[in-house]
Amino acid sequence: MTATNEQNEASSHVPPLIPTQNGTLELHDITIVDQTKLRKAISAAALGNAMEWFDFGVYGFVAYALGQVFFPSASPSVQMIAALGTFSVPFLVRPLGGVFFGILGDRFGRQKVLSTTIIIMALSTFCIGLIPSYNSIGIWAPLLLLLCKLAQGFSVGGEYTGAAIFVAEYSPDRQRGFLGSFLDFGSICGFVLGAGIVVLLENIMGSAHFLSWGWRIPFFLAAPLGLLGLYLRHAAEETPAFQKHLDMMEKEEQEEVSSRPRVSFMEIMRRFWRTLLVSVGLVLTTNITYYMLLTYMPSYLSHNLHYGEDRGVLIIIAIMIGMMFMQPIIGFVSDKIGRKPFVIGGSVALLVLAIPCFQLITSGKVGLIFLGLFILALILNCFTGVMASTLPALFPTRIRYSALASAFNIAIIVAGLTPTIAAALVDATDNLFIPAYYLMVVGGIGIVTGIYLKETANRPLRGVSPSASNKKEARELLAETYEHIEQSVDDIDAVIANLQEQIQQLEKRKQQYVDLHPKME
């Protein structure tokens, strides 16, 4: 092992430096999280995320209806691809929204940005229900639909990452996985609610009335949901981590110390490119699997497998309800054993089990179809259960929103195209196993990502003092931190001793060369 390698190995054991008032970490430097504020923060973030995925759930389950309403002259296959394409195009503007809201979030705070994004999301979803059909206004109908979806895409660009950061910065270090899992718990709740309302309305009204006007009702429900989410987010206070960051910046200004220059996007790319790649890999693995299972599968079951629409939808809803209960369990366990085992384990399972799962799904038997989809759902839980707690921990506070929103929304462009690409490939090749091959590639990406992912469980967020749920836990964290520091000092001392020994050996070799030269001393 070289000296450089030993230095790198030693530095990997050193805990991140924690800003303190007097240079020594003491009990008062550990943040005791207010449980009432924590509950408000979790509720506000989860409901906003549910609002986002309520639209995705509704849109995925009424895609066949929207195809007939907005693209009536096309064939059934083209209608489905066009409707899913309208779903996918807004992902192209999500990076713009991510950069825009990321900068605002790092400058003015997480809470203000999250209140703004939920307003835009609710209004644009509501407006979809107001758009006249193609038969009424012609080409303007699909154009207005696309405009609303673009507005959604722009707002969602700052939604998930902001909500994940909001929860992560509020959560105690030992509970970040469990509490972060409720963010995607909210996503699945929104999805189930959207899909359930579509199924209920269609069964009550009948297909003819649902196609005529009933499909609009789920989109109208976005308004009251958005108002409730706005109320909760407005009531929630700014995160302790960001508030400490602001206090530190204000103190520097009062002491007439020049504040740290703002980091540009190009600087983030240059300094954090490895972390950005890991973030992109995790987002790709999670969201491609998510969209494949929960957005594309309803259309795949009805359009490609000619399975009854109602039965296929009910299977997906039952699977999502199962996912909801698994979500906090995986988050809780990740606080005990870490996030990496779930990312790597889920990716290996996706690579190995994708084809067997689709063999079950294409069998035509209800029980086997459910089993194949349920296995994929459990694999998906491995990613969604840890993503919200993993991603925010990879970047320091002052650039966390900007960096994470950029990485997340670059990856989401590819992930968002999943339903459209899968539908087009299956239609072009007539191969029902295309989605399985797609997921196998994703599994490979996930394995590489998991290998390079740094473990973040039970550790403070970068550049932030540890946080605990009570004083007893704070004392335990302080003791653990001291132990880590002592171990790190011992590791560094060992490396220094090894280096000194190597220097002595080099000095002896140098003297041997000098002795061989008549004019050198």
Side-chain angles (χ1 to χ4, degrees):
M1 181 184 291
T2 64
T4 302
N5 288 337
E6 289 180 348
Q7 287 175 318
N8 290 336
E9 184 178 350
S11 63
S12 67
H13 294 290
V14 181
L17 293 177
I18 300 170
T20 61
Q21 294 180 354
N22 58 8
T24 302
L25 182 65
E26 298 177 359
L27 188 61
H28 61 76
D29 292 309
I30 297 178
T31 301
I32 307 296
V33 178
D34 186 303
Q35 296 301 307
T36 302
K37 293 179 180 179
L38 176 61
R39 286 192 291 271
K40 285 184 179 179
I42 300 295
S43 301
L47 184 63
N49 218 37
M51 172 75 234
E52 173 190 347
W53 284 91
F54 172 82
D55 170 69
F56 289 154
V58 169
Y59 201 94
F61 282 88
V62 302
Y64 74 96
L66 296 179
Q68 297 178 50
V69 171
F70 293 103
F71 309 97
S73 60
S75 67
S77 295
V78 174
Q79 286 179 352
M80 181 62 65
I81 293 172
L84 291 174
T86 307
F87 170 85
S88 298
V89 167
F91 286 86
L92 299 176
V93 301
R94 283 183 65 160
L96 297 177
V99 171
F100 177 77
F101 289 116
I103 293 172
L104 293 181
D106 281 334
R107 185 170 298 180
F108 301 111
R110 288 58 162 125
Q111 187 263 356
K112 295 182 178 65
V113 170
L114 287 175
S115 296
T116 303
T117 57
I118 200 169
I119 292 173
I120 299 174
M121 186 69 186
L123 285 176
S124 54
T125 303
F126 177 80
C127 287
I128 291 177
L130 299 175
I131 302 173
S133 67
Y134 185 92
N135 293 330
S136 300
I137 61 173
I139 192 63
W140 285 105
L143 288 178
L144 288 173
L145 175 63
L146 181 61
L147 184 63
C148 289
K149 296 300 293 180
L150 289 173
Q152 286 181 341
F154 188 77
S155 69
V156 171
E159 169 61 41
Y160 181 87
T161 50
I165 290 169
F166 197 69
V167 172
E169 290 185 345
Y170 251 112
S171 300
D173 295 338
R174 290 183 174 181
Q175 295 179 286
R176 189 166 293 118
F178 175 67
L179 296 174
S181 68
F182 282 97
L183 191 61
D184 282 290
F185 179 90
S187 302
I188 301 170
C189 284
F191 218 114
V192 170
L193 180 62
I197 288 174
V198 170
V199 173
L200 181 64
L201 288 173
E202 191 170 10
N203 279 279
I204 292 175
M205 303 173 64
S207 297
H209 288 294
F210 186 80
L211 281 172
S212 176
W213 58 273
W215 63 268
R216 301 178 185 276
I217 296 176
F219 293 103
F220 290 152
L221 293 177
L225 286 175
L227 288 175
L228 178 59
L230 179 62
Y231 169 77
L232 289 174
R233 288 190 172 179
H234 187 70
E237 297 183 20
E238 188 54 78
T239 69
F242 188 78
Q243 191 58 54
K244 283 190 174 183
H245 172 67
L246 288 181
D247 293 342
M248 184 176 66
M249 299 299 288
E250 290 176 2
K251 184 178 179 181
E252 288 178 351
E253 291 176 1
Q254 290 173 359
E255 295 174 353
E256 297 182 353
V257 177
S258 59
S259 61
R260 245 180 288 181
R262 298 194 181 277
V263 181
S264 66
F265 178 71
M266 293 306 297
E267 183 72 4
I268 292 173
M269 290 287 290
R270 186 182 67 82
R271 293 179 57 189
F272 297 94
W273 65 270
R274 290 183 181 86
T275 308
L276 287 169
L277 285 178
V278 169
S279 302
V280 168
L282 182 55
V283 174
L284 282 176
T285 305
T286 304
N287 284 277
I288 289 178
T289 310
Y290 210 131
Y291 291 129
M292 185 70 79
L293 178 63
L294 302 183
T295 301
Y296 176 61
M297 276 298 105
S299 301
Y300 178 81
L301 291 174
S302 61
H303 179 70
N304 297 106
L305 301 184
H306 309 292
Y307 197 68
E309 290 175 0
D310 290 345
R311 295 172 72 186
V313 166
L314 290 174
I315 288 177
I316 296 294
I317 291 176
I319 285 171
M320 287 191 287
I321 292 173
M323 288 182 63
M324 287 168 54
F325 289 102
M326 285 299 300
Q327 191 75 10
I329 294 174
I330 288 179
F332 177 81
V333 176
S334 77
D335 284 328
K336 308 300 180 184
I337 68 172
R339 327 292 190 215
K340 284 173 68 79
F342 284 102
V343 175
I344 295 176
S347 300
V348 171
L350 198 60
L351 181 64
V352 173
L353 298 178
I355 289 180
C357 284
F358 271 84
Q359 287 174 334
L360 296 172
I361 293 169
T362 56
S363 67
K365 298 179 181 179
V366 178
L368 296 180
I369 291 173
F370 180 86
L371 179 60
L373 292 172
F374 186 70
I375 292 172
L376 289 177
L378 291 178
I379 294 172
L380 176 57
N381 268 133
C382 291
F383 306 132
T384 58
V386 302
M387 186 170 72
S389 56
T390 301
L391 291 176
L394 299 177
F395 298 96
T397 304
R398 64 193 181 99
I399 64 161
R400 183 170 292 131
Y401 208 144
S402 302
L404 187 52
S406 301
F408 187 92
N409 290 292
I410 289 171
I412 213 70
I413 293 177
V414 179
L417 295 173
T418 297
T420 307
I421 294 174
L425 288 175
V426 171
D427 193 59
T429 62
D430 235 3
N431 187 340
L432 296 177
F433 282 83
I434 289 293
Y437 305 144
Y438 207 112
L439 291 176
M440 290 176 69
V441 174
V442 173
I445 295 172
I447 292 171
V448 175
T449 300
I451 292 171
Y452 286 97
L453 176 68
K454 293 182 180 179
E455 186 56 74
T456 60
N458 295 308
R459 299 178 185 178
L461 297 174
R462 291 185 60 176
V464 179
S465 60
S467 59
S469 56
N470 51 57
K471 287 188 176 181
K472 178 183 177 182
E473 187 176 296
R475 294 188 184 94
E476 293 174 357
L477 286 176
L478 186 63
E480 289 178 3
T481 302
Y482 286 162
E483 289 175 4
H484 290 159
I485 292 174
E486 291 168 2
Q487 182 61 51
S488 298
V489 171
D490 290 341
D491 291 341
I492 293 173
D493 283 340
V495 172
I496 291 174
N498 196 305
L499 289 174
Q500 289 174 340
E501 183 179 342
Q502 291 187 23
I503 290 172
Q504 290 175 358
Q505 293 175 353
L506 290 173
E507 288 286 353
K508 290 180 180 179
R509 184 176 298 180
K510 171 187 170 183
Q511 190 59 47
Q512 289 174 352
Y513 282 114
V514 170
D515 292 341
L516 294 173
H517 197 289
K519 295 184 179 180
M520 291 187 68
E521 295 181 1

